[in-house]
Amino acid sequence: MKVLLIGSGGREHALAWKIAQSPLLDQLYAAPGNPGIAEHATLVELNVEDHAAVIAFAKEKAIDFVVVGPEAPLVAGLADDLRAAGIATFGPSKAAAQLEGSKGFTKDLCARYDIPTGAYQRFKSAEPAKQYVREQGAPIVIKADGLAAGKGVTVAMSEAEALAAIDDCFDGAFGAAGAEVVVEAFLDGEEASFFCLSDGKTALALATAQDHKRVGDGDTGPNTGGMGAYSPAPVMTPAMVERTMKEIIEPTISGMAKDGNPFSGVFFAGLMITAKGPELIEYNVRFGDPECQVLMMRLKSDLLPILYATATGTLDKVQAEWRDDAALTVVLASKGYPGAYQKNTPIAHVPTASEEAKVFHAGTALKDGKLVATGGRVLNVTAFGKNVTEAQARAYALADRVEWANGFCRRDIGWQAIAREKA
Ligand code: AMP
Ligand code: GLY
């Protein structure tokens, strides 16, 4: 099989690494890819926003299967256009990608199909939103409706903070994504991420993970795209996974199909495990980054036939096997991230992988043959262990061998799980 992978982050490096191990693979291309992905794939300079160019490339190279990593091309309808051109594609249609592209869309779906989530209202202007906040009181959550790179959410502990967040959204802090606002009840509990594939009819549960969104140790400071993650998430017991499938995932699959938007791809469900059970915080319609890195480390099965079955409606024919080990990833980011940071700083040394640990590339590039950091999140040092404590020790041992003066990482990824393991 000839495969084209779309994307350039740590998530796509992990996907490329796994796909490259498949005996079914003849050739892997990645657009645009990064120097880590280049170890497994031929990189192609394609403008992913130019769907006709992607299709022309796929035809020219006789690509059998396209795997779309990030959300933006999905929300822009790349999967629809590829499928219309007769090319099998992993990733939901533009209509189904609204599950990630519009928080209001997802909340309305939950309301229609009795999927547990926080009570909410949608607003197109500030005054009625503020009125609702005053009625409900704090804590309360304010969300820009559209894609805001994980930054459009304010968990407001006071009414004043909530009112300010509403003004920020409507004043354009998140651009067009903030033209509509969802105000949502605060859910109290422990968060977890759940990954599950769907071909539109059948569901295949993958695995669970927990990430660290805040930039600083102890989960402090501003939100980021994710500073580290581990899998499995201890709060997601088999009973909780079963409830999540029954109460959240299955009604989503049947509801989306009923509404004429069958979902094919991966559900990345952000959950709050409350006293009542699992409640949906949000859906993403692609693998998490860096959650994907820990999932791919733990996946024993060949990834390629699983993704292909998802895209071609044969998910009932495949299974996914997982290592029992925990996997943990630490994100090395450019100093200053998630604020302004220097670009093109030199990375003098990236240690080679071992049996238990591996470094995935995210925002890296080669400049004059030398590796440099071009993004906010740059390297993902990922390791196994018999538990999170051991995986963490291995990941930091490897991270400390990276030579990159402008890099930093959190030192406490996995702390909740490790506290549990010590208890
Ligand atoms: P999201 O971008 O929707 O994942 O939200 C970012 C983060 O905000 C989540 O990971 C939660 O930590 C928090 N959050 C979002 N919605 C709620 C909610 N209804 N109650 C409590 N926390 C929330
Ligand atoms: N790590 C969170 C995300 O991929 O959205």
Side-chain angles (χ1 to χ4, degrees), residues 207-241:
T208 63
Q210 209 129 351
D211 76 340
H212 294 267
K213 285 205 170 67
R214 304 295 192 115
V215 75
D217 283 10
D219 295 325
T220 55
N223 267 332
T224 69
M227 294 301 291
Y230 55 94
S231 173
V235 66
M236 291 301 286
T237 57
M240 207 54 81
V241 168

Side-chain angles (χ1 to χ4, degrees), residues 103 141 143 153 155 184-187 191 213 272 281-282:
K103 295 193 187 292
V141 183
K143 300 184 172 181
V153 174
V155 180
E184 181 181 309
F186 173 79
L187 298 172
E191 276 188 78
K213 285 205 170 67
M272 189 70 85
I281 297 178
E282 63 160 359

Side-chain angles (χ1 to χ4, degrees), residues 188-193 208-210 212 219 230-238 240 271-274 326 328 386-390 392 412-423:
D188 198 10
E190 187 167 353
E191 276 188 78
S193 299
T208 63
Q210 209 129 351
H212 294 267
D219 295 325
Y230 55 94
S231 173
V235 66
M236 291 301 286
T237 57
M240 207 54 81
L271 305 174
M272 189 70 85
I273 309 305
T274 70
L328 179 141
K386 61 179 183 298
N387 53 25
V388 177
T389 306
E390 187 175 279
Q392 191 208 50
D412 65 344
I413 300 303
W415 66 269
Q416 301 101 322
I418 290 169
R420 248 181 229 212
E421 285 170 3
K422 284 205 179 104

Side-chain angles (χ1 to χ4, degrees), residues 11 211 213 225-226 268 282 284 286-291 377:
R11 164 182 51 213
D211 76 340
K213 285 205 170 67
F268 164 5
E282 63 160 359
N284 297 305
R286 34 83 194 172
F287 284 104
D289 187 347
E291 291 87 339
R377 295 189 297 164

Side-chain angles (χ1 to χ4, degrees), residues 120-324:
Y120 75 105
Q121 292 276 314
R122 301 174 73 167
F123 298 97
K124 288 207 159 86
S125 63
E127 252 339 290
K130 289 182 176 176
Q131 186 53 33
Y132 182 69
V133 162
R134 289 190 195 100
E135 282 161 25
Q136 300 293 315
I140 194 156
V141 183
I142 312 300
K143 300 184 172 181
D145 181 74
L147 292 181
K151 286 161 201 148
V153 174
T154 303
V155 180
M157 286 314 188
S158 69
E159 206 174 287
E161 202 186 335
L163 299 177
I166 290 170
D167 280 332
D168 281 350
C169 279
F170 287 113
D171 288 348
F174 307 109
E180 185 173 332
V181 162
V182 172
V183 180
E184 181 181 309
F186 173 79
L187 298 172
D188 198 10
E190 187 167 353
E191 276 188 78
S193 299
F194 178 64
F195 293 86
C196 178
L197 296 171
S198 165
D199 62 3
K201 321 174 287 274
T202 305
L204 176 68
L206 295 179
T208 63
Q210 209 129 351
D211 76 340
H212 294 267
K213 285 205 170 67
R214 304 295 192 115
V215 75
D217 283 10
D219 295 325
T220 55
N223 267 332
T224 69
M227 294 301 291
Y230 55 94
S231 173
V235 66
M236 291 301 286
T237 57
M240 207 54 81
V241 168
E242 200 175 310
R243 283 192 62 181
T244 303
M245 290 299 288
K246 262 214 179 71
E247 296 169 26
I248 297 179
I249 301 290
E250 284 165 15
T252 300
I253 293 175
S254 60
M256 290 291 284
K258 219 178 278 170
D259 294 350
N261 304 319
F263 183 91
S264 127
V266 61
F267 288 116
F268 164 5
L271 305 174
M272 189 70 85
I273 309 305
T274 70
K276 286 194 276 179
E279 297 196 49
L280 184 70
I281 297 178
E282 63 160 359
Y283 272 128
N284 297 305
V285 299
R286 34 83 194 172
F287 284 104
D289 187 347
E291 291 87 339
C292 186
Q293 289 81 313
V294 286
L295 255 52
M296 291 306 115
M297 287 289 272
R298 289 190 56 229
L299 181 64
K300 281 204 278 195
S301 310
D302 186 351
L303 177 67
L304 189 50
I306 295 176
L307 297 183
Y308 194 70
T310 305
T312 54
T314 52
L315 201 50
D316 55 337
K317 309 272 189 310
V318 297
Q319 282 183 337
E321 272 191 80
W322 301 88
R323 285 176 69 144
D324 289 331

